[in-house]
Amino acid sequence: MKPAFPKIRPIPYEGPTSRNPLAFKHYNADEIVEGKTLRDHLRFAVVYWHTFRGTGSDPFGMGTMQRPWDDGSHSVANAQKRVRVAFEFIEKLGAPFYSWHDRDVAPEGRTLAESNRNLDAVAKVLKEEQQRTGIKLLWGTANAFSHSRYVHGAATSCNADVFAYAAAQVKKAMEVTHQLGGAGYTFWGGREGYQTLLNTDMKREQAHLAKLLHLAVAYKKQIGFKGQFYIEPKPKEPTKHQYDSDAAACLNFLREHDLLPHFKLNIETNHATLAGHTMQHELEVAGAAGALGSIDANTGDELLGWDTDQFPTSIYLTTYTMLSVLKYGGFKTGGVNFDAKVRRESFEPVDLFHAHIGAMDAFARGLKIAAAIRKDGRLAEFVKQRYASWDGGMGAKIEAGQVGFKELEAYMLKKGEVAANVSGRQEFLENLINEFI
Ligand code: XLS
Ligand code: NI
Ligand code: NI
């Protein structure tokens, strides 16, 4: 096969003074930060759906992407050829991982059996290319939202047959993920929510979603798949409300249905903002619960308010993200998965390189800045000092459960008024962060 990107050589690291748009300025994969290479900290992954299946269509217009290697057909042969192109791209970029939905990599057939055969035929090529390049699968997932059968949702559909179909589809996607040595498997509730409560039995739908996840946990054990399961929170789009609306809602759902030990969260930046949160907020909620698994790295346009899935370039965003990731011990099975798409106006193949190179550089900078802030220690020390009243005296007794309301009343009656409050120093801290940016 002729190369799809003949003019592009493997992307080198040239350092911050380079003016070469096809070189890294900050992502030096072998550089060590906090005892680990950048490659192992960031575990970059390229997503198959946006990068190799995105057409650039939007609600107002048709696709714009120039993808000369793609014949536009739904044939298995075209899908297999696309795999070679994808791996040429990922290899030249130097990303160690990729991720997919079943229906991105292989075409949906006329029957479930045909869809499964198509997936097997493409998975064979995925495996060959993984072995040839050493690129690994970060996670797989099933697209149980695009086909019209999923009009009312998948696991949460009012139609029990749809649940059965979704279960069969997830089963197959898990098997293929397992065959390809996937480090994880993600559940994003594409249409697991409602458009109107007038026609919705919310309790029953949520119980069905939990049922599907329990069946997946059981099947995982049965086939010996050791990868990490993730839930990806998102509040809306395509439905008005999705049950996995944010990290806190997902954690509550998982706890209520005895699923928490089996899942971690895959936090996506643009989903956080759609939920009215910052990425940092979602990462802290997940991290505090011991459930920070992976991230879908992108960014939204705050003025548009849609899930625009843009490539992340803000150094503040990547710095705050990596501060939280480092705080909770770094990625184990997860990574920085670029669930992002080039703009409709960026239709040439080379734009795919610019987008990923810039985002990888932005994360490399965020990581180095976060590590420098941690090494400096002033931020952590400030937070520690802010809670010093809990480290001894009455604070320590409250935390240890040694006092009740009676003792607390007696303490305050004697003292009369609280010890003086001190400033939160937000502006001082914001300035401190800017010292490192
Ligand atoms: C869509 C989601 C999706 C998941 C995988 O908004 O981000 O791409 O990451 O199904
Ligand atoms: Ni995502
Ligand atoms: Ni998204």
Side-chain angles (χ1 to χ4, degrees):
M1 212 178 106
K2 278 197 315 211
F5 309 98
K7 295 206 198 101
I8 295 173
R9 285 187 314 212
I11 306 302
Y13 168 72
E14 291 184 357
T17 56
S18 168
R19 292 291 172 267
N20 177 2
L22 294 173
F24 293 114
K25 321 285 187 299
H26 303 277
Y27 179 60
N28 179 8
D30 294 316
E31 189 179 332
I32 307 279
V33 166
E34 293 199 9
K36 237 165 54 177
T37 61
L38 262 56
R39 185 187 294 104
D40 290 344
H41 268 293
L42 295 164
R43 295 167 61 86
F44 287 126
V46 172
V47 307
Y48 212 92
W49 52 102
H50 289 312
T51 301
F52 305 110
R53 303 311 312 279
T55 62
S57 67
D58 72 10
F60 302 94
M62 57 176 64
T64 57
M65 294 299 155
Q66 296 170 3
R67 303 292 182 246
W69 54 83
D70 203 302
D71 67 17
S73 78
H74 293 291
S75 72
V76 170
N78 189 32
Q80 290 174 321
K81 203 169 131 209
R82 199 185 288 124
V83 172
R84 311 273 184 206
V85 174
F87 276 79
E88 182 192 333
F89 174 82
I90 304 167
E91 197 182 20
K92 283 183 168 167
L93 183 67
F97 293 95
Y98 77 116
S99 55
W100 48 247
H101 298 83
D102 49 1
R103 300 298 179 251
D104 313 325
V105 286
E108 173 122 21
R110 273 157 308 182
T111 61
L112 179 62
E114 191 182 317
S115 296
N116 287 350
R117 279 197 300 276
N118 291 350
L119 186 52
D120 285 334
V122 178
K124 216 177 120 251
V125 187
L126 289 169
K127 187 157 203 174
E128 276 172 32
E129 288 295 297
Q130 285 187 207
Q131 280 165 349
R132 183 183 68 77
T133 60
I135 292 162
K136 296 194 187 80
L137 178 61
L138 189 71
W139 49 259
T141 186
N143 176 335
F145 45 88
S146 290
H147 193 279
S148 57
R149 82 176 65 85
Y150 295 121
V151 59
H152 299 304
T156 65
S157 174
C158 47
N159 179 348
D161 265 6
V162 176
F163 181 102
Y165 199 107
Q169 201 184 322
V170 169
K171 172 179 177 288
K172 181 70 184 173
M174 278 173 60
E175 288 164 6
V176 175
T177 301
H178 184 35
Q179 281 159 24
L180 295 177
Y185 183 91
T186 294
F187 293 84
W188 170 58
R191 292 181 193 273
E192 311 295 31
Y194 61 79
Q195 291 293 9
T196 171
L197 285 170
L198 290 174
N199 64 14
T200 302
D201 185 338
M202 193 198 274
K203 188 174 166 69
R204 205 165 183 186
E205 289 200 358
Q206 289 194 310
H208 293 163
L209 180 55
K211 173 66 82 186
L212 185 105
L213 298 180
H214 272 294
L215 294 177
V217 168
Y219 193 64
K220 180 180 187 227
K221 211 164 152 198
Q222 212 175 312
I223 62 175
F225 175 50
K226 296 277 185 303
Q228 175 66 52
F229 272 173
Y230 306 109
I231 299 255
E232 183 177 323
K234 181 174 182 179
K236 55 190 166 199
E237 283 189 28
T239 65
K240 171 195 175 77
H241 176 85
Q242 311 220 165
Y243 298 133
D244 49 8
S245 57
D246 67 0
C250 286
L251 290 170
N252 182 57
F253 172 85
L254 291 169
R255 275 196 199 99
E256 181 179 348
H257 297 281
D258 295 323
L259 286 160
L260 193 53
H262 307 289
F263 287 83
K264 290 198 188 310
L265 300 184
N266 177 39
I267 304 290
E268 178 165 325
T269 322
N270 206 160
H271 298 179
T273 44
L274 287 178
H277 303 310
T278 59
M279 179 63 165
Q280 194 188 8
H281 168 94
E282 289 293 84
L283 293 170
E284 289 295 320
V285 170
L292 175 51
S294 197
I295 66 170
D296 270 10
N298 60 19
T299 195
D301 186 317
E302 277 163 29
L303 299 180
L304 283 178
W306 301 338
D307 193 16
T308 54
D309 287 342
Q310 290 168 233
F311 277 85
T313 54
S314 157
I315 307 302
Y316 284 103
L317 172 63
T318 58
T319 297
Y320 287 128
T321 299
M322 292 316 298
L323 267 175
S324 292
V325 169
L326 291 177
K327 175 171 164 188
Y328 294 104
F331 295 118
K332 304 285 183 313
T333 53
V336 176
N337 186 51
F338 289 119
D339 191 354
K341 58 185 177 203
V342 288
R343 297 304 84 192
R344 185 169 191 267
E345 298 80 2
S346 307
F347 44 73
E348 293 177 19
V350 71
D351 292 308
L352 293 172
F353 278 95
H354 294 156
H356 284 86
I357 291 168
M360 288 162 80
D361 267 345
F363 263 91
R365 284 179 78 182
L367 169 63
K368 291 182 215 181
I369 293 167
I373 292 169
R374 284 158 57 86
K375 184 157 182 248
D376 171 79
R378 276 176 291 160
L379 182 64
E381 184 55 28
F382 182 89
V383 178
K384 190 171 177 292
Q385 281 309 318
R386 189 159 181 254
Y387 293 90
S389 70
W390 294 89
D391 294 335
M394 190 47 93
K397 283 188 190 148
I398 298 171
E399 280 194 353
Q402 288 164 357
V403 291
F405 269 7
K406 239 178 81 200
E407 291 78 12
L408 289 168
E409 185 193 45
Y411 168 74
M412 221 58 248
L413 283 172
K414 187 160 164 232
K415 218 171 163 182
E417 191 44 85
V418 303
N421 275 311
V422 292
S423 167
R425 302 247 188 278
Q426 179 169 336
E427 299 76 9
F428 160 85
L429 294 170
E430 286 165 349
N431 298 349
L432 190 151
I433 297 292
N434 273 357
E435 278 182 37
F436 295 87
I437 297 281

